[in-house]
């Protein structure tokens, strides 16, 4: 039996009178990399915000590690291991790389923060080279890596990533997907939100397609990648 870490059932989220998420259900099992794909405005970010306590849940339930987390705040959820790399990265630009990574461990009291930073540097050698530099002086791709590294410092049980490849050069996009694959390969369970459906599904075990606030298709990632409807709508064929 798969160990379900995150289970979203009938989630509805509204902004005032606008229903952005209209009853979405999906789950993420231990060890998986699940991709949530869909066009602009499909409701992907809103779904992640509701899961991480940044946007109120209108209806439905969100279970993490078998318990409802509806209504819990972002801080509590990060402490429990539900950690997001937000859209647009949100690095602290006036802090150094090292300080940003230390911020990722702010919820922890253990003495292994230094060890974890070395692990993050092993995944992102570039961050180690630049560890004394201010985050704001780095390129978009490097800041994305820093945001991922910072999230890893919280020791996520599920790592949620919102469009990590957005706005990056093709070479950097390749690098970011390599790193996402590497993070998953090292044992972190990942929920990856992407508009780059092809790349996201290539890495994933399973996928969900969102359209206008609803999940319209789901299944094995390779099957979705080969589905003519997915190819026509999201892969430009
Ligand atoms: N703060 C907000 N206030 C009002 N409406 C919002 C707000 N944020 C998002 N929306 C609307 O909710 C819907 C879903 O937006 P959301 O950002 O979740 O989509 P998305 O799938 O993440 O899109 P993208 O791929 O462009 O990031 C859209 O119609 C959007 O205009
Ligand atoms: Mg979004």
């Amino acid at each position: 039996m798969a160990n379900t870490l995150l289970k979203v059932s009938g989630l509805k989220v509204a902004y005032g009178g606008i229903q952005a998420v209209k009853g979405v259900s999906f789950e993420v099992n231990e060890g998986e990399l699940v991709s949530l794909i869909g066009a602009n405005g499909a409701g992907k970010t809103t779904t992640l915000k509701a899961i991480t306590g940044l946007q109120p849940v209108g209806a439905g339930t969100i279970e993490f590690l078998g318990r409802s987390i509806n209504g819990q705040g972002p801080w509590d959820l990060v402490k429990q291991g539900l950690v997001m790399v937000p859209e647009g990265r949100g690095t602290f630009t006036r802090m150094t790389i090292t300080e940003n990574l230390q911020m990722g461990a702010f919820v922890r009291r253990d003495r292994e923060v230094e060890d974890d930073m070395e692990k993050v540097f092993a995944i992102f050698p570039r961050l180690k080279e630049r560890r004394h530099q201010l985050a704001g002086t780095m390129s978009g791709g490097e800041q994305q890596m820093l945001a991922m590294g910072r999230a890893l410092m919280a020791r996520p049980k599920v790592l949620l990533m919102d469009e990590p490849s957005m706005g990056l050069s093709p070479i950097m996009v390749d690098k970011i997907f390599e790193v996402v694959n590497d993070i998953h390969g090292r044992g972190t369970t990942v929920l990856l939100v992407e508009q780059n459906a092809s790349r996201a599904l290539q890495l994933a075990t399973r996928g969900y397609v969102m359209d206008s606030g609803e999940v319209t298709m789901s299944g094995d990632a390779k099957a979705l990648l080969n589905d003519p409807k997915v190819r026509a709508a999201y892969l430009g064929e």
Side-chain angles (χ1 to χ4, degrees), residues 41 43-46 87 162-163 193 195:
K44 305 181 298 296
T45 296
T46 304
E87 194 173 28
D162 196 355
E163 310 234 20
V193 162
Q195 274 196 49

Side-chain angles (χ1 to χ4, degrees), residues 16 46 57 60 68 82 95 98 100 115 118 124 127 150 181-182 187 194 198 203 209 215 237:
T46 304
V57 171
S68 170
L82 191 61
M95 291 185 178
T98 303
N100 266 274
D115 288 352
E118 284 308 317
F124 306 101
L127 295 183
R150 190 183 56 190
N181 196 35
D182 186 21
E194 263 294 336
S198 163
L203 295 188
V209 180
V215 169
E237 290 183 8

Side-chain angles (χ1 to χ4, degrees), residues 116 120 123-124 147-156 159 183 188:
D116 283 8
V120 166
I123 301 172
F124 306 101
M148 288 179 178
R150 190 183 56 190
L152 289 173
M153 291 297 291
R155 292 197 173 177
L159 181 62
I183 289 170
T188 302

Side-chain angles (χ1 to χ4, degrees), residues 21-84:
V21 175
K22 304 170 185 165
V24 158
S25 301
F26 65 91
E27 74 249 348
V28 180
N29 299 317
E30 188 167 19
E32 282 193 305
L33 191 166
V34 173
S35 288
L36 183 59
I37 63 167
N40 261 323
K44 305 181 298 296
T45 296
T46 304
T47 299
L48 292 191
K49 284 185 171 168
I51 293 171
T52 53
L54 296 166
Q55 189 67 40
V57 171
T61 56
I62 303 166
E63 284 171 64
F64 180 55
L65 311 178
R67 280 188 309 222
S68 170
I69 55 167
N70 285 38
Q72 291 193 33
W75 166 282
D76 283 330
L77 294 171
V78 170
K79 258 200 299 206
Q80 292 167 59
L82 191 61
V83 184
M84 175 154 74

Side-chain angles (χ1 to χ4, degrees), residues 153-192:
M153 291 297 291
R155 292 197 173 177
K157 294 196 174 78
V158 177
L159 181 62
L160 314 168
M161 294 193 231
D162 196 355
E163 310 234 20
S165 79
M166 190 171 59
L168 302 180
S169 67
I171 290 171
M172 216 18 120
V173 168
D174 286 349
K175 179 77 195 152
I176 289 295
F177 280 109
E178 256 173 51
V179 162
V180 171
N181 196 35
D182 186 21
I183 289 170
H184 176 233
R186 288 170 190 250
T188 302
T189 303
V190 175
L191 176 61
L192 174 64

